[in-house]
């Protein structure tokens, strides 16, 4: 997530026997998706959840546990999760593998029932902590806390307690066709001004210069960070309404109306088909899609961070990802915590397999990231370098309502030509109201 206006069908499909166009709408977004509020419980029923869950039990006996995952697009992911669960001997672990665009609705509706999952993946959200929905995992994480990326620990911490174990980090940046930039005599952009100039020079009657997603919302947070701003300050105050952000939004409006931006692509930004099929010269996407891009384009591929915005900004890389949570209102909290510890803390082999065998992700454990051979050279290594130098992580206090407020401001300004200064002021009022509810 986003993160951002509505849950969208955004997944990566790499099965060589199935066409990208045929499956591009079959799975739910894993990364920059708008995370649903607890109020989504009213949308969708548990019966629907069970109708396409792809159940698979473990080889254990006695305690029954259920884990819920959205359907990752990469071939082999469902089989991998079930294989891990089957290897666990202290409980029978059933996997609910949710396909389609309904993961959020089904997750939150199921959490209000007796059939709620014991373990589920999601993103850090302070509402889940405040409502007592997720269990405190500090006791199982503390012994290995120093081996996690500090930003992953911070983004899951409330009042000194850690809620959720990060499974994968998903950096997002711009991918570009080296041959196209060379032919157009375009240097890799380092500023937003240069990106707009590059888009114009790279656009032909067959190819658009840049693809930023069909609704452009993946650019929201990177734009803030690249302008030297943020969603919230360290003491939880709005930090996004600055002159540099206003100027950056105006530049994106200029890009949106220029004719140099790919709009209404067959698949959204999360899918590499736009750049793979030659529809654009530069595409914003995630590191997860790197293997598919390399397969299609070979060495004709480079990456760069979101460009600097304004004089005081700095290039940025948004780090998405997924985390594992324990349902604090479930019947088997202790057993669920023990399973999460076994899989996502103790089993380093499985953690590396999950991060690098089905697409490229960065393991949140430093020791695993350092030993992941697939990320040590070439383009993956460059992605890791950008992640380490320019990466920004989720703020657990940046809630659904706040995401919606900023997305509305962005949409009204970029797509509808509204006044960005006024739109950000409106968003700021809404965010302040939410902050008052959360923190007083």
């Amino acid at each position: 997530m986003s993160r951002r206006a509505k849950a969208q069908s955004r997944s990566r499909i790499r099965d060589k026997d199935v066409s990208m166009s045929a499956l591009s709408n079959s799975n739910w977004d894993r990364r920059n998706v708008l995370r649903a509020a607890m109020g989504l419980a009213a949308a969708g029923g548990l019966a629907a959840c069970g109708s396409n869950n792809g159940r698979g039990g473990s080889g254990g006996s006695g305690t029954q546990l259920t884990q819920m995952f959205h359907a990752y697009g990469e071939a082999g992911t469902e089989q991998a999760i079930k294989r891990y669960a089957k290897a666990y001997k202290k409980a029978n672990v059933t996997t609910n593998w949710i396909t389609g665009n309904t993961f959020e609705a089904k997750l939150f509706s199921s959490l209000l029932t007796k059939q709620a999952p014991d373990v589920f993946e999601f993103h850090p959200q302070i509402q889940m902590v405040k409502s007592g929905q997720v269990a405190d995992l500090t006791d199982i994480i503390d012994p290995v806390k120093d081996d996690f990326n500090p930003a992953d620990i911070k983004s899951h911490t409330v009042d000194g307690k850690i809620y959720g174990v990060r499974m994968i980090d998903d950096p997002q940046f711009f991918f570009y066709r080296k041959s196209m930039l060379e032919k157009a005599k375009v240097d890799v952009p380092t500023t937003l001004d240069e990106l707009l100039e590059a888009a114009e020079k790279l656009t032909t009657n067959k190819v658009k210069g840049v693809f930023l997603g069909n609704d452009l919302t993946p650019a929201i947070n990177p734009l803030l960070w690249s302008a030297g701003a943020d969603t919230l300050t360290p003491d939880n105050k709005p930090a996004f309404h600055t002159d540099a952000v206003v100027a950056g939004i105006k530049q994106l409006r200029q890009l949106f109306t220029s004719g140099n931006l790919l709009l209404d692509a067959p698949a959204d930004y999360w899918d590499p088909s736009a750049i793979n099929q030659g529809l654009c010269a530069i595409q914003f996407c995630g590191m997860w899609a790197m293997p598919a891009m390399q397969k299609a384009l070979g060495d004709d591929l480079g990456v760069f961070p979101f460009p600097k915005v304004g004089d005081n900004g700095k290039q940025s890389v948004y780090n998405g990802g997924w985390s594992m949570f324990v349902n604090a209102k479930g019947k088997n909290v202790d057993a669920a915590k023990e399973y999460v510890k076994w899989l996502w803390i103790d089993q380093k082999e499985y953690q590396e397999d999950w991060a690098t065998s089905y697409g490229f992700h960065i393991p949140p454990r430093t020791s695993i990231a350092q030993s992941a051979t697939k990320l040590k050279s070439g383009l993956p290594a460059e992605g890791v370098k950008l992640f380490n130098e320019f990466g920004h992580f989720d703020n657990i206090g940046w809630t659904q309502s706040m995401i919606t407020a900023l997305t509305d401001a962005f949409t009204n300004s970029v797509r509808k030509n509204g006044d960005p200064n006024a739109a950000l002021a409106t968003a700021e009022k809404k965010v302040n109201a939410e902050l008052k509810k959360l923190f007083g």
Side-chain angles (χ1 to χ4, degrees):
M1 357 200 210
S2 314
R3 306 162 40 93
R4 302 309 194 200
K6 291 183 179 179
Q8 298 178 349
S9 169
R10 300 169 177 168
S11 96
R12 261 293 304 119
I13 301 210
R14 294 196 295 112
D15 188 338
K16 63 182 179 181
D17 297 322
V18 184
S19 71
M20 185 75 68
S21 60
L23 288 179
S24 62
N25 293 320
S26 68
N27 293 291
W28 177 76
D29 177 23
R30 310 204 312 279
R31 290 139 185 129
N32 207 18
V33 73
L34 177 66
R35 269 101 65 193
M38 299 301 285
L40 269 178
L46 190 62
C49 176
S51 65
N52 57 358
N53 58 26
R55 293 181 184 275
S58 75
S61 61
T63 303
Q64 303 292 321
L65 296 176
T66 300
Q67 60 180 357
M68 183 177 287
F69 283 78
H70 79 285
Y72 287 70
E74 290 89 344
T77 49
E78 180 180 1
Q79 292 78 7
I81 285 296
K82 291 180 179 179
R83 185 175 73 251
Y84 308 154
K86 187 175 181 179
Y88 188 62
K89 303 304 181 183
K90 293 186 178 181
N92 290 310
V93 182
T94 297
T95 301
N96 281 357
W97 189 261
I98 309 302
T99 60
N101 304 337
T102 57
F103 174 76
E104 292 179 0
K106 289 177 178 178
L107 170 62
F108 284 105
S109 63
S110 69
L111 287 174
L112 297 182
T113 73
K114 293 180 180 180
Q115 290 77 35
D118 300 285
V119 175
F120 60 91
E121 66 170 359
F122 205 57
H123 315 280
Q125 286 273 317
I126 198 169
Q127 299 101 316
M128 294 195 297
V129 176
K130 295 280 188 179
S131 66
Q133 185 66 70
V134 292
D136 175 9
L137 303 184
T138 308
D139 58 333
I140 67 173
I141 298 175
D142 253 348
V144 294
K145 179 180 177 181
D146 292 342
D147 190 36
F148 275 88
N149 187 315
D152 279 322
I153 295 295
K154 181 180 179 181
S155 64
H156 292 71
T157 300
V158 177
D159 296 332
K161 297 179 179 180
I162 306 170
Y163 300 85
V165 180
R166 191 70 148 185
M167 299 183 295
I168 49 174
D169 286 324
D170 277 336
Q172 301 174 20
F173 22 65
F174 283 102
F175 292 80
Y176 67 94
R177 295 283 299 273
K178 293 180 180 179
S179 59
M180 290 185 178
L181 268 66
E182 183 178 354
K183 183 178 180 180
K185 297 181 179 180
V186 171
D187 293 328
V188 175
T190 60
T191 69
L192 191 55
D193 284 328
E194 292 174 357
L195 181 65
L196 267 65
E197 294 172 2
E200 183 174 1
K201 293 179 180 179
L202 291 165
T203 297
T204 68
N205 60 346
K206 296 182 179 179
V207 179
K208 294 294 185 180
V210 176
F211 181 45
L212 257 174
N214 287 330
D215 62 6
L216 279 68
T217 55
I220 296 177
N221 280 22
L223 176 70
L224 300 185
W225 296 320
S226 287
D230 209 334
T231 52
L232 299 173
T233 64
D235 58 347
N236 294 311
K237 296 179 181 178
F240 54 82
H241 189 182
T242 69
D243 291 342
V245 172
V246 170
I249 290 176
K250 290 180 179 179
Q251 286 180 287
L252 286 185
R253 170 64 185 177
Q254 181 182 344
L255 179 61
F256 178 71
T257 58
S258 66
N260 303 323
L261 189 68
L262 177 63
L263 299 171
D264 300 321
D268 213 338
Y269 85 103
W270 41 263
D271 187 301
S273 57
I275 193 169
N276 284 359
Q277 296 174 9
L279 302 180
C280 61
I282 299 173
Q283 176 177 342
F284 191 78
C285 194
M287 189 167 167
W288 61 82
M290 199 176 280
M293 290 186 185
Q294 290 180 308
K295 183 177 180 181
L297 304 174
D299 294 332
D300 189 26
L301 193 64
V303 291
F304 65 90
F306 198 94
K308 173 183 173 181
V309 178
D311 295 333
N312 299 316
K314 181 182 178 181
Q315 294 167 298
S316 69
V317 169
Y318 168 61
N319 174 53
W322 286 87
S323 306
M324 187 55 57
F325 297 90
V326 169
N327 178 11
K329 299 179 181 180
K331 298 178 181 179
N332 300 298
V333 175
D334 289 340
K337 288 177 63 174
E338 188 173 0
Y339 171 66
V340 169
K341 177 182 182 298
W342 174 83
L343 179 52
W344 299 111
I345 293 179
D346 297 339
Q347 303 301 312
K348 289 190 174 184
E349 180 182 351
Y350 290 157
Q351 292 161 40
E352 181 174 345
D353 180 67
W354 186 242
T356 63
S357 295
Y358 315 97
F360 290 155
H361 317 265
I362 298 177
R365 299 283 293 277
T366 302
S367 60
I368 301 175
Q370 290 175 344
S371 65
T373 57
K374 294 180 181 180
L375 306 181
K376 285 184 176 296
S377 62
L379 198 64
E382 180 63 21
V384 172
K385 180 181 177 181
L386 295 180
F387 165 84
N388 289 329
E389 185 174 357
F390 301 112
H392 291 263
F393 291 67
D394 286 325
N395 185 326
I396 196 170
W398 186 244
T399 69
Q400 173 71 28
S401 297
M402 299 176 196
I403 292 169
T404 300
L406 187 57
T407 300
D408 289 345
F410 182 88
T411 299
N412 290 336
S413 303
V414 175
R415 298 181 67 90
K416 300 180 181 178
N417 199 29
D419 176 10
N421 196 47
L424 290 176
T426 298
E428 192 171 19
K429 290 180 180 178
K430 294 178 180 178
V431 169
N432 270 321
E434 289 300 310
L435 289 170
K436 187 175 181 179
K437 293 178 185 178
L438 288 170
F439 303 109

